[in-house]
Amino acid sequence: MSTSTAEVGLRERKKAATRQALHEAAVRLAITHGADRITVEAIADEVGVSRRTFSNYFASKEEALLHGDQQRMGMLLDLVRARPADESPWTALTRAAQEYYRQAGELDPAWVAQTRLVRTLPALLAQQVSTFSALERELATEVAAREIKTDPSPVRARLMAATFMAAMRVAMHVWLDAPNEASLSAQVDRALAEAGRGFG
């Protein structure tokens, strides 16, 4: 490995570490003080960086708060892409979701608290919708690639991706409302089974 390559790798790791630190500070402050009461300046101060540095990583405090969602959605998309090419699209989506929750293991209490926060603030909900919409478009592309021989129209692929995301969202809200009734992964399995009847 050349010196320049090593330097680039170190620089990227430092950037990733700063981005993660800002996200974690935003979540921590939001849980302690309320998401509507924290500021970009407070998040930057918590990490010991400038307001300008914060802006190099995130466009808003909402984006910083939901950076974890973006990471998790990216992981889910990677799992879908890694599924065997001969799997049907809905099977690939369902098994990727199951693998995602298997790898995630014990739910992070901070993530659960953040997820509850999102439901109370319109600005956070809007940012989350934007994040999930981007994932939905990418999932539709993956589905379309698997369906191209049987259905060249984009309608079914987009509908399947949207249905998958809706099922995941419903499962999350059901679980948040009654976390002791069943595990989140069990609620996801049930929601996907119900939603997937038309895509078998």
Side-chain angles (χ1 to χ4, degrees), residues 101-115:
Y101 283 106
R102 187 192 68 76
Q103 289 186 17
E106 195 72 24
L107 293 174
D108 179 4
W111 173 74
V112 175
Q114 173 200 305
T115 304

Side-chain angles (χ1 to χ4, degrees), residues 8-24 57-58 67 71:
V8 169
L10 177 61
R11 189 159 56 246
E12 291 306 311
R13 288 195 297 274
K14 285 183 175 179
K15 285 182 179 179
T18 300
R19 183 177 288 106
Q20 186 65 22
L22 287 167
H23 162 62
E24 290 175 359
Y57 292 94
F58 299 110
H67 176 62
Q71 290 177 305

Side-chain angles (χ1 to χ4, degrees), residues 83-89 146:
R83 296 304 307 170
D86 60 349
E87 277 186 349
S88 70
R146 291 171 182 265

Side-chain angles (χ1 to χ4, degrees), residues 22 38-45 50-51 54-55 59-61:
L22 287 167
I38 65 171
T39 63
V40 166
E41 288 75 17
I43 297 168
D45 288 347
S50 68
R51 170 68 172 80
F54 176 96
S55 298
S60 65
K61 68 177 184 180

Side-chain angles (χ1 to χ4, degrees), residues 117-185:
L117 272 178
V118 168
R119 299 205 299 177
T120 66
L121 295 172
L124 282 178
L125 277 173
Q127 182 64 48
Q128 189 179 66
V129 167
S130 176
T131 299
F132 287 0
S133 294
L135 174 66
E136 186 180 305
R137 288 192 295 272
E138 295 195 64
L139 285 174
T141 299
E142 294 302 311
V143 170
R146 291 171 182 265
E147 291 242 304
I148 192 66
K149 292 181 181 178
T150 57
D151 185 8
S153 165
V155 173
R156 182 176 167 86
R158 292 180 184 178
L159 182 60
M160 193 180 300
T163 302
F164 174 78
M165 291 300 295
M168 296 281 281
R169 186 175 63 253
V170 167
M172 170 62 70
H173 288 299
V174 169
W175 179 78
L176 286 172
D177 290 337
N180 296 322
E181 288 188 6
S183 68
L184 175 55
S185 60

